[in-house]
Amino acid sequence: MSIDAFEKALLQIDRLAAEKILHQSLVSEALEDVVQFLVVPTLDRIGKKWEQSQVALSQVYMSAKICEDMLQAVLPTTDIVQKTSPRLGMAVLLDHHLLGKQILVSMIRSSGYAIQDYGSIDPITLVDQVEKDGIQILFISTLMVSAAKQVRTVKEELSRRSLPTKIMVGGAPFRYDSQLYLEVGADATGVGLSDALRFIDENREELS
Amino acid sequence: MKLTMTPMQRVTTALKHQEADRVPFFLTLTMHPAKMLGMSIQAYFSNVDAVVEGQIQIQKRYGHDCLIGATYAAIEFQAWGGDVIFYEDGPPNTGEPLIRIGEDLNHLHPPKIEEQPCLANALQMIRQLKRYAGDQIPIVGVALSPFSFPVMQLGFSQYLRLLYEDRARFWQLMELNEDYFLRWVQAQFEAGISALTYYDPLSSPGIIPRGLFLETGFKVAQRMLPKIPGLKVFHFASGHCMPVLDDLLDLPINGVAPGVTEDIQAIKSVVEKKMVVLGNLNGIEMRRWKPEDARRECRQLIRSVARGGGFILMDNHGEIPWDVSDGVLSAISETVQKEGRYPIAD
């Protein structure tokens, strides 16, 4: 399985080339292995390149979308079951700029996890959904500082209801101020797929 | 020694890459005047007289070198029929996108400038500011580039997919947007702005790769910029620009606003004498600065970039957050006024 070739196809937004590589890999490897050893490392590599300003956000988004589409097409034909523990959720607060959320949801699903996508939502309705669905790890993306500050409202409401949900935040305000996540009461801040997967692994035991 | 120049003279001197009496600085305070006047942000932006009074008073308070001839970025989305959401502690934001991908672009209706109350109010504000400022203080207007506006019209992800997957419809959308853009810009200059901020975050190589920019946003800029009847600054809204800086040198622009993470000194070396550099104080971090942080950051910028002119100190985004304290703003002003006098001390 060639990560270099797969990465090149994705960064060139060459859906056909990417599909060819994926299907060739599936001839000899199980889907779980293709996800673990091809898809996830490639998306992670692309995400890191964006953090280092080597690729553009549009390439990150299109790569994640292509992978999600390909895996969604393949999944019904396999026995693979998406990982449902811990229970994951993703939301954008008070905003219709959904790109960051869409990128992370695609990447997390491409990594084999199920994740509840709450779209654009206000803080209290989000906590209502988190409580109803038993979400254990919540990813929140914001574009504006005023929306970022509303993470505090989410955190306070979770605490008020004694919900142990962990929060990781991301988005432009958190990138430009590395301390902002502490100010709003989040448990962590992250930029890409590896940050999200690490956060899941770090909290898995505590939440189980 | 007493400062001898008006803000207009100071900015004009900087544009000529000469040293004025001191470093010019812009405080992009669109919401702080509401706080100063004891009004909610929504009430403030709905009242032309309040916005004019607010801009005048805040410029007097901090002594910066411009008046902001703009209110909020979502105003253009509002003019096209979109909903705007107002907050108590931040800039108004856009509601749901105007159309979904796959929908007929005929569902989009470019506004007639004079028939849209929000745009008409903005033009009235500029006229009143011009009556006050005359030729003494520059008035800076803003317009979203036709290339970046679809992020609001369609939503970010839908627009990226249009760019990559349906180039013909993309150019159809550009035709609609370019016509509206030129009418809006012309109206602002006629009302009295001195310079225009060409707000184009999508063109940043952090958002789209340079190759795609050259095929799309660059071509839009090539068509639009020569038709803007005055000074113009290319603004990436905090996005970085170094990889496309050489391309920007081929465009008829007077200034560039680089990203907050970029080495502004390096940017200035590349564009030296061809355009002025504006920036790049971190507006998000500014929220938790103390005055000594503001003094340190301004001092560093002045000492590294200001020599030789060609520099205007300002924040990276073009809109200072609501919760930046008056103490920090005063510290920025005091530091520039004291330590920004030419010749710059070591």
Side-chain angles (χ1 to χ4, degrees), chain A residues 11-13 15 50 52-62 65-66 69 93-100 102-103 143-147 149-150 172-180 183-184, chain B residues 85 87 89-97 151-152 155-158 160-161 164-165 204-209 212 237-240 243 260-261 282 284-288 316-317 319 321-323:
Chain A
L11 288 178
Q12 289 177 346
I13 325 299
R15 196 180 279 260
W50 178 69
Q52 291 154 9
S53 301
Q54 292 173 23
V55 303
L57 191 63
S58 64
Q59 291 169 295
V60 178
Y61 169 67
M62 293 301 291
K65 189 81 185 83
I66 290 170
D69 290 346
L93 284 182
L94 301 172
D95 205 332
H96 291 278
H97 295 89
L98 306 178
L99 186 68
Q102 284 161 335
I103 290 173
L143 180 70
M144 316 269 283
V145 172
S146 44
K149 290 191 285 186
Q150 292 298 314
F174 299 104
R175 285 188 67 222
Y176 290 133
D177 183 355
S178 58
Q179 304 300 302
L180 183 58
E183 180 189 323
V184 302
Chain B
I85 305 162
Y87 300 105
D89 60 353
N93 198 0
T94 55
E96 297 248 9
V151 173
M152 291 184 179
F156 211 150
S157 54
Q158 303 273 45
L160 289 179
R161 288 176 59 193
Y164 278 108
E165 296 168 357
S204 168
I207 306 295
I208 61 171
L212 184 57
S238 313
H240 66 273
V260 69
T261 58
N282 188 327
I284 307 289
E285 282 192 359
M286 225 186 259
R287 296 170 56 252
R288 58 180 172 83
N316 62 299
H317 194 72
E319 185 176 65
W322 167 266
D323 21 21

Side-chain angles (χ1 to χ4, degrees), chain B residues 242-260:
Chain B
M242 183 61 106
V244 297
L245 213 46
D246 283 338
D247 304 310
L248 294 185
L249 288 171
D250 290 338
L251 295 172
I253 53 180
N254 306 99
V256 64
V260 69

Side-chain angles (χ1 to χ4, degrees), chain B residues 4-12 22 24 26 59 63-67 129-139 192 194:
Chain B
T4 56
M5 289 186 170
T6 65
M8 184 72 84
Q9 289 168 334
R10 200 169 284 129
V11 170
T12 307
R22 64 152 172 80
F26 290 173
Q59 192 277 330
H64 51 284
D65 294 299
C66 74
L67 296 164
L129 286 175
K130 182 66 177 175
R131 276 202 287 274
Y132 165 78
D135 292 327
Q136 307 293 299
I137 309 174
I139 301 169
S194 317

Side-chain angles (χ1 to χ4, degrees), chain B residues 319-336:
Chain B
E319 185 176 65
I320 291 179
W322 167 266
D323 21 21
V324 173
S325 73
D326 293 340
V328 163
L329 297 173
S330 293
I332 293 172
S333 172
E334 285 155 14
T335 307
V336 174

Side-chain angles (χ1 to χ4, degrees), chain B residues 15-29:
Chain B
L15 284 166
K16 291 180 196 164
H17 300 276
Q18 294 168 2
E19 292 185 352
D21 53 356
R22 64 152 172 80
V23 177
F25 71 113
F26 290 173
L27 291 179
T28 54
L29 297 166

